[in-house]
Every structure is written in C-alpha cells, then in structure tokens.
Amino acid sequence: MSSSDTEERVVPKDAPSERLDKTVARLFGISRGRAMEWIAEGRVRVDGKRAPKGAPASPGARISVDRPPPDQPEPQPDLPIRIVHADAHLIVADKPAGMPSHPLKPGEKGTAANALVGRFPELLQVGPSPREGGLVHRLDTDTSGLLLAARTASAHAMLRAQFSGRTVEKGYLALAAGEIHAGGEIALPLLHDPRDPRRMQAASDAAYAEEHGARPAVTRFEPVERRGGFTLLEVEIPTGVMHQIRAHLAFIGHPLAGDALYGGPDLSGLTRHFLHAARLAFAHPDGSRAGYESPLPAELASVLQELDADA
C-alpha cells in the first residue's frame, strides 16, 4: 500500500462513541463508503493499531489516516514536452515517444498530463476525469506528436464534441512494411484480441463484430514514398479507437516498422513503432479554424535517411 499524506485527529471528549467508519467519515470529511474503503485497505489506525470498521471509536481516541495519493496528475513542470501553441482556451503539445498520455493509476508520474499540469495548473480542474489533466484525446505511449488539452470546461466540452462527431482532422506519418502503391481506406471495427489483451483485432465479419462489441473504426492512407521495402504513409483517422492505425495496417499485411506487438519488422536505429501524430485541425473555441503541425522527430527522420541510402 502506498500513501502520500498521513493525518491524525482526536475524537472529541464530548463526542458519542460511534463505529469507526462513521467516526472516520465525520472527522476527515469523507463519505462513509470511502471511510470503509480506507479501513479495509489498512489506511486507518486507532491509537496506533488497525481496527475493523465496526469497532467503537471512543472519545479521546487518536485516529490516524494514510490518505491515498490524489487521483490526479502530480505536477511535473520539468518533464520534457514541447508546447506548440497555448492560448486562453487550449494547449497543443508535442508529446515525445515513450511518454504515456496520462496516469493510469493514482500516483503515476512521467506522463504528458503530469508535464502539462506542471505548466498550466488550471488543467487539474478541467474534464470529467481528474487524472487526464484536461486532455481532450490520447496517443499511445510510443506514438509521438500532437496532443490537445483544454484550459476551460467549455473548451473541453466543445473540443470533445468535435472528436465524438468525427470532425477533427487527425493526420499521422507512418512507415509501413512492404510497398504500397495506391491509397485506400480500411473501414473495419476493432475489438480487444481475445488471445492477447494487449492487442486490438480487426473484425471483418459483421455478426462477430456486433457480438463482441467491436467499435467502428476508419483509417485512410496515402503513400508518400517507398524506400527499401517500406512505404511512408500519410494517414487520417476520423475515428479514434485504441491502436487503430497499428491494427488496421497489420490486418492488410503492412504492419508498422518497429511494431513488434503487431508483427512489424525491426529496423536499425528504430526503438519503437514508426508512428507520428503530425497534423491536427479543428474548430477553435474562438470561432476560427485552427491547424497545427509537428515535423518528424529526429530519430524517425534518421531511420528514413538510412532506408534511402540502402534503397
């Protein structure tokens, strides 16, 4: 069990003797349900000893609580993340590869949300989930590129509505195995692979997809250039399902370079899958049309150059 803050209270001399869970709720300003959770987790002690939720908490007893870490990102202003744009409504950041978008559990550090709330503390108050720190969407940990956060509740609601309505333009650069000579569209729903929960699976059978709750997903791609047995693609996704580009390209036999999870081949100098969120365009809360771009990171550009030399 981890804890971030220990507090102690004394049961007032004139207080009635009550069950421990009721006393903890009253003394520490939490719900009785939360008090019972803390007691079950071993976070509560009466005069230095653990006690069950139904134990009496007598006047004068010293009750200590190890409060769990807050369910929101801890500010880390020194984490490396480039701010592409910031105004009164929103922030566009360039997330490096290897950095998760936001914590998946209380106390987790090193994410884009930690970095952003460290620079823009008001993000902690935005959005339905405290741990997301105002983020409007997410990128896979090993996908680099543009990430959008809202600074106000109204901006968050407007931007989320655009993502849900599929009106946000999300452009990626992807290096796929094999030679692709024409653009195309992959419109296949995705579901968690029953054989490997880390992966997503494209479902080409409509009945199977419906039975297993697959989510609609559309991936459009255009070849930019072919090098050394690989094809650099411009990819657009109106939908936003987990691992969408990775799973769709693998389904058609062209997995991403470096994407071991989906069968992508290794490349010298490549330590992650070759996918970069390069372009983002949407209706800005101020009424304008906003668009932002991010160039290929140096490590991906270097991999491309090496391919060119070998071709």
Side-chain angles (χ1 to χ4, degrees), residues 267-279:
L267 266 180
S268 176
L270 187 60
T271 58
R272 48 105 166 188
H273 58 248
F274 195 121
L275 184 62
H276 179 67
R279 184 168 53 83

Side-chain angles (χ1 to χ4, degrees), residues 55 73 75 79 120 136 182 192-193 210 238 258 263 284 301:
L79 283 179
F120 307 94
V136 182
H192 286 279
D193 189 333
E210 184 175 357
H284 193 283

Side-chain angles (χ1 to χ4, degrees), residues 88-112:
H89 302 278
L90 56 85
I91 299 145
V92 181
D94 200 343
K95 184 186 81 66
M99 176 183 283
S101 291
H102 63 76
L104 295 179
K105 57 186 178 181
E108 184 180 347
K109 296 181 181 180
T111 77

